[in-house]
Structure formats: C-alpha cells, structure tokens
Amino acid sequence: MRYVSTRGRAPILDFEGVLLAGLASDGGLYVPQRWPSLTREELLSFRGRDYPDVAHAIISRFTGDTIEPSALRSIVSSAYADFGHAAVAPLAQLGSNHWLLELFHGPTLAFKDVALQVLGRLYDHFLELHDTRTTIVGATSGDTGSAAIEAIKGRERASIFILHPAGRVSEVQRRQMTTVETGNVHNIAVDGTFDDCQAMLKAMFNDAEFRDELRLSGVNSINWARIVPQVVYYVTSALALGGPDVAVSFSVPSGNFGDVFAGFVAQRMGLPVDRLVVASNENDILTRALTTGDHRLTDVTPTLSPSMDIQVSSNFERLLFEMHDRDAEYTAGLMRQLAEHRGFRIGDDAAATVQSLFHAGRCTETETIETIAAVHRDTGMVIDPHTAVGVAVAKRQRGARETPMITLATAHPAKFPDAVERAIGARPALPDRLADLHEREERCTTLPNDLPAVMEHIRSHAPASTA
Ligand SMILES: *Cc1c(COP(=O)(O)O)cnc(C)c1O
C-alpha cells in the first residue's frame, strides 16, 4: 500500500512513512494511492467477531507489509484492552431506528482514544525497529491533546508537545492534559484560537530545518494513521444493524472532518452507506461548503461543543481531492486560494460527485441544550454537547425511516459538565479512574500567539538526543 499527497509534490510513501511524516512535505495530506476493498463475503465474515479482530483485519489493509501480522495483532489487542466496555464501541438505542455509537469508553473519554491508542503503539513499534526517536507536536481544541498525551506518556522514544488555545478548552479537558506527570509530556497554552494553534503547527511542519532537527511527527487527524482505526467502528456498527445487507446512515459531529472522512473511507472500501450526515455547531463552514459550494472562512465562535470550534477543517482537503478526480494540481490551487482569499467555490460538477452521500446541517447553542434535555427526558440517557449536535442534525437529515441512523457519540458527558448541567440540572460524574482529576497538580506553559517563541520553547525542551 502506497500513499500520495493531495498536492502531488511530496514523495510517495508507505504506511510507516506517512505515520512518521504526519503532514506531507508539500503541505498536502497523504491518502492511499488506491482504496483497498472489502468484499461482501469479507464483511459478512466480520459479523460476530470481537472488535480487535475486525480492527486487525481492516487496519492491515492499510499497513501493507510494513508491519508483521502478529505485531499488529498485539498492538490492536493491547490498545483496546483497557477500554471501559468489552465491546469497545457499543451501540445504544436512542429512538426508533436511531442508535448511538458510544465511542467514549477509552482512557480520556472521547472517540479520539480509539485511534490514538493504536497510534502510540505503532510509533513505539517503528521507532524501536529503527532505533530512533521522534518529537510529536500537536494542536488541540480539547480532546486530541489529552488522547495523544495518554497514548504517548512514558514512551521512551517520543516526547510530545501539545498546543491548546488558552482558556478555550473545558476544565476537564485541560486537566486531563496538564496533570499527566511524565517527563516526556509538555503542555503549551497559546494566547489564541485553535486555528492559530493549527496554523503554527502547519508552519512548523513546513519548516524543513526544524522538522528534521527535531524529527517532528504529528498526531493531528492530518496524520493518515489517525483515520485508519476510525474506519473500523463504521464497519462494526453497520454489521450489527444488518449490514452489508442493508445500508445504514451515520450522523457525525464534525470539526476537522477526520471522523466523517473515515466513514467515507469505509464506504469507498465497500461498506453500504446511505448517508453521511456532517453535523456542525455554529462554526458551520463544512455545512455551508457542502450545501452551497461556498467554502469560506469566518471567525471562530466559542460554543458548548468546543472540540468542533474550527474553521479550517484540514481533512476536507482529502475530500476535495476525491471530488476533483484526484487532481493534485487543482487541489493545491484551491488551498492556495484559501490561504490568499480566505475561501473558494466548489464547482457544481465536483459537488455533484458527493452530494448523494454527504448531507449536512447546523445546530445552534439553544438546540444543543434542548437536545441534551430531550434525550434525557425521553430515554434517561445523558449525552454530551458534541453528541447532541449529531443527534439534532440526524433528526433533520434522517432520510428514509427504514434506514438505520447511527449517531456517533463522540464524548462522555462528564467531559462537559457545565453544558450538561444547564440542560438537565445535574452534573454527570466522572468515571472512577478519573475521580481525583480536580486534585491533581497541573503543569503547563503559557506562550503568546507567536511562532518563533513556540518553536524556541520546543527546541529548548526537546531531549538533546533528538537534535
Ligand atoms: C474531535 C472531536 C470531534 C470532531 O471530530 P473531527 O474528526 O475533528 O471532525 C467531535 N466531537 C468530539 C467530542 C471531539 O473530540
């Protein structure tokens, strides 16, 4: 399996290469040269198998011969061994033919653990194989940071630096990052927005000297290896509801477009999918782009679902590349327009290639609260504000009632107790393993929204052996 950049000017790499590179050297994102396929018989053979088994079968399609089957098998098994639910990603029924896919049973209570627990172990495997080290730098709107830190903490061959927008992540999210006490974990609070953090991250990766000096690697969902483990739960949940004999729909609370892109990959591989519903909060660039063709940046508005407070959805570039028949020159041109003019128009022909699959909708702050309250009233279940955005939009973009609708529950409600309390008048409790989170000591450095200052901090705190 080989990978190409969406901008066409970076080396073609294998899976290990894209894992360690993160962003492609031409600023583009890596995608498989050809989509692997899952036949109907293979999909049927996954029915009833354990989650790690299916995960191994799917992930191995993307890793090719870069990792032996036995090594991959043990990575996948140990990645999910400590999840709080034996099924890893169980389904719960929300209403008639509407289901919640619970993706928050990992160590940091958000769906990002599903991919990052695998990723941390893959890093270890490849770095040890080549007796080398890496410096992982990531930007987070809240959940990536803690999930990445949890996956990398204590690993000998990697240090991790996580940038988060100061004051714009929830207290639980911040404490999950800043209270991890191992020497290889570094938190940086940036005086700016998530988009500022992400822009600095991209600039660091585009600085070849800095990148090579520190052996930089990225864990944001621009890293192709993040997308792959997310394909798995689309497959397992569809099979549980009758797939591949029936097509199912998914509603995905979306920010950086990584999670819903994994659904697109599952569909490309052969999973029958009726609709992929892209659910936005008030930061609705994805909904505007998909419904009107106008992809245009505005300012970021802080919302109750902060992990989706994003304007520049990096992974959308992967879909643009597909929509334009994998024309890298054209994709690079669109991204130049975005950088220079804060937007671009998607042509009707290109949009038509994905419009029957992708549907999109926006959920306001009021609706988010109302949805948490309504779900609690009707079912007794407590959902988090990101999941609520998915549920609200799913109800409007449902399509045929006989098609199962699966809304991805991307975070545990205890991660966002303030929003939940506003909706139902009670604060959800943290699971036992995090019960003392508010007593733990925090470690974090605040820096201005200034690239040279951040780079200098990273350079001076990365272990000397990487330099
Ligand atoms: C990251 C995140 C999202 C958005 O996922 P993307 O892959 O960035 O679209 C949604 N909900 C929660 C809870 C998240 O942590």
Side-chain angles (χ1 to χ4, degrees), residues 384-426:
D384 100 290
H386 302 78
T387 305
V389 169
V391 168
V393 178
K395 287 188 172 163
R396 289 202 297 267
Q397 301 286 336
R398 184 77 200 262
R401 307 290 296 184
E402 61 270 28
T403 303
M405 171 58 82
I406 302 169
T407 294
L408 274 55
T410 52
H412 189 287
K415 263 194 124 154
F416 303 95
D418 297 337
V420 172
E421 185 174 23
R422 262 177 68 185
I424 66 169

Side-chain angles (χ1 to χ4, degrees), residues 92-313:
Q93 189 159 10
L94 186 69
S96 48
N97 220 8
H98 189 179
W99 310 78
L100 279 184
L101 176 57
E102 295 181 356
L103 300 174
F104 50 71
H105 293 286
T108 72
L109 313 180
F111 85 92
K112 293 183 172 79
D113 289 323
V114 179
L116 282 162
Q117 284 296 315
V118 174
L119 210 70
R121 288 167 173 81
L122 284 171
Y123 271 119
D124 249 11
H125 175 85
F126 288 119
L127 295 171
E128 192 153 323
L129 198 66
H130 303 301
D131 190 19
T132 180
R133 322 186 22 101
T134 187
T135 307
I136 293 169
V137 186
T140 186
S141 56
D143 293 329
T144 300
S146 54
I149 286 170
E150 201 60 40
I152 301 296
K153 71 174 186 193
R155 299 198 184 275
E156 279 178 17
R157 294 176 176 275
S159 351
I160 181 164
F161 292 81
I162 293 291
L163 279 54
H164 72 262
R168 295 194 186 217
V169 299
S170 81
E171 177 165 6
V172 174
Q173 288 178 317
R174 190 190 71 240
R175 287 185 162 272
Q176 281 184 320
M177 296 191 279
T178 58
T179 60
V180 173
E181 255 184 275
T182 62
N184 69 335
V185 170
H186 307 269
N187 281 284
I188 302 173
V190 173
D191 247 327
T193 64
F194 170 68
D195 286 326
D196 294 329
C197 295
Q198 189 160 254
M200 283 203 265
L201 185 71
K202 282 197 176 169
M204 285 186 247
F205 277 92
N206 285 332
D207 182 330
E209 199 183 314
F210 186 75
R211 191 176 70 218
D212 296 345
E213 177 193 339
L214 292 171
R215 298 177 195 276
L216 279 200
S217 182
V219 285
N220 278 83
S221 55
I222 51 179
N223 193 318
W224 174 256
R226 270 281 295 281
I227 305 288
V228 173
Q230 297 180 177
V231 176
V232 177
Y233 48 73
Y234 285 92
V235 174
T236 56
S237 61
L239 296 184
L241 296 177
D245 298 328
V246 285
V248 302
S249 293
F250 295 92
S251 174
V252 189
S254 292
N256 223 348
F257 206 74
D259 203 3
V260 71
F261 192 79
F264 175 76
V265 174
Q267 192 263 356
R268 274 290 142 107
M269 291 176 78
L271 183 74
V273 175
D274 185 50
R275 290 183 173 198
L276 287 173
V277 177
V278 177
S280 306
N281 66 20
E282 292 184 358
N283 297 292
D284 63 348
I285 184 168
L286 289 171
T287 292
R288 284 183 282 120
L290 287 165
T291 54
T292 69
D294 194 28
H295 182 278
R296 196 151 305 282
L297 301 182
T298 54
D299 290 334
V300 179
T301 311
T303 71
L304 296 166
S305 42
S307 301
M308 309 186 333
D309 290 348
I310 290 174
Q311 282 296 321
V312 184
S313 292

